[in-house]
């Protein structure tokens, strides 16, 4: 009457159940959200992990988990923060599992374009920036990227990184100062 069920059968059944979960977003809404966020999210993951291939994998996993969570969001920024929070946690998990094998070695040629009238200096500035970022801690890279590349507010960054909003401002200040030192620029202490 009943056949023996193997572990593989259970795994297949779980995978099928996961695939059948209803999503909160319809296809058009998701497609538009993906188009608005995927490039920036990939750049964020690439900067935080220092590995383009891992960023590709984490990007896919982030959107999969975002859809699988089937959470309702009260605004576009809430939806975006949830997406970045998932990505941050996945990058943190990858680091813990030592999937980030090599030291930070990301070449930023395809991440963002540095607009400048001095094209010869732009490549050098980009290389300097990448080198300086490689010497920051992953959380510092994430804070700086979210603040200055993504334009996120302090509250949004705190939500994404799981930090208390009150502690973010001094942490971001120290990360910015450390980056300035690494870039060979002395932070301007008199400007406040």
């Amino acid at each position: 009457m009943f056949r023996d069920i193997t572990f593989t059968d259970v795994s297949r059944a779980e995978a099928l159940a996961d695939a059948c979960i209803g999503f909160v977003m319809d296809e058009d809404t998701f497609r538009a959200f993906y188009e608005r966020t995927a490039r920036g999210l990939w750049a964020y993951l690439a900067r935080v992990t220092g590995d383009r291939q891992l960023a590709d994998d984490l990007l896919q996993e982030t959107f999969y988990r975002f859809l699988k969570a089937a959470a309702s969001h009260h605004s576009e920024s809430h939806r975006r923060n949830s997406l970045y929070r998932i990505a941050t946690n996945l990058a943190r998990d990858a680091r813990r599992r030592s999937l980030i094998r090599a030291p930070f070695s990301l070449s930023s040629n395809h991440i963002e374009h540095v607009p400048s009238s001095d094209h010869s200096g732009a490549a050098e500035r980009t290389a300097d920036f990448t080198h300086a970022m490689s010497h920051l801690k992953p959380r510092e890279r994430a804070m700086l990227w979210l603040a200055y590349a993504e334009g996120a507010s302090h509250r949004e960054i705190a939500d994404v990184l799981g930090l208390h909003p009150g502690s973010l401002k001094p942490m971001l200040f120290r990360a910015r100062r450390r980056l300035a030192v690494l870039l060979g620029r002395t932070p301007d202490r008199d400007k406040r």
Side-chain angles (χ1 to χ4, degrees), residues 90-107:
L90 287 171
R92 199 176 286 150
D93 289 347
R95 190 172 44 258
R96 285 184 187 135
R97 287 190 319 258
S98 298
L99 291 177
I100 303 171
R101 293 176 197 91
F104 188 93
S105 63
L106 184 66
S107 163

Side-chain angles (χ1 to χ4, degrees), residues 4-186:
D4 291 334
I5 297 176
T6 65
F7 182 73
T8 305
D9 294 332
V10 172
S11 296
R12 282 187 199 138
E14 286 175 350
L16 182 59
D18 285 346
C20 293
I21 292 174
F23 298 124
V24 174
M25 299 174 117
D26 62 42
E27 186 176 345
D28 291 336
T29 305
F30 175 73
R31 181 172 289 138
F33 178 65
Y34 181 87
E35 288 173 5
R36 286 190 308 272
T37 57
R39 182 177 172 87
L41 182 63
W42 182 89
Y44 168 73
L45 287 166
R47 283 288 181 204
V48 170
T49 64
D51 184 331
R52 281 190 167 103
Q53 289 178 324
L54 182 57
D56 289 339
D57 294 342
L58 292 178
L59 179 72
Q60 289 179 9
E61 183 67 19
T62 298
F63 277 104
Y64 171 73
R65 289 191 184 193
F66 176 80
L67 282 173
K68 185 177 172 185
S72 61
H73 300 94
H74 60 273
S75 68
E76 177 72 11
S77 65
H78 184 231
R79 183 181 291 146
R80 186 179 166 279
N81 288 348
S82 294
L83 183 72
Y84 274 79
R85 178 70 184 240
I86 293 167
T88 299
N89 289 337
L90 287 171
R92 199 176 286 150
D93 289 347
R95 190 172 44 258
R96 285 184 187 135
R97 287 190 319 258
S98 298
L99 291 177
I100 303 171
R101 293 176 197 91
F104 188 93
S105 63
L106 184 66
S107 163
S108 63
N109 295 338
H110 302 295
I111 292 178
E112 72 279 332
H113 174 68
V114 180
S116 171
S117 59
D118 176 18
H119 295 293
S120 63
E124 186 176 316
R125 285 190 303 276
T126 301
D128 290 345
F129 176 75
T130 300
H131 180 72
M133 288 288 279
S134 73
H135 288 83
L136 296 175
K137 295 175 184 170
R139 182 165 57 184
E140 292 172 324
R141 288 194 301 260
M143 283 188 296
L144 290 169
W145 188 264
L146 288 169
Y148 300 107
E150 296 291 326
S153 70
H154 287 175
R155 179 166 295 289
E156 290 171 333
I157 297 168
D159 288 345
V160 166
L161 298 178
L163 301 170
H164 187 273
S167 66
L168 182 74
K169 191 173 182 178
M171 292 172 71
L172 187 57
F173 175 79
R174 285 190 298 271
R176 191 174 51 238
R177 175 173 274 170
R178 189 160 176 235
L179 180 63
V181 168
L182 290 168
L183 288 169
R185 299 182 184 133
T186 307

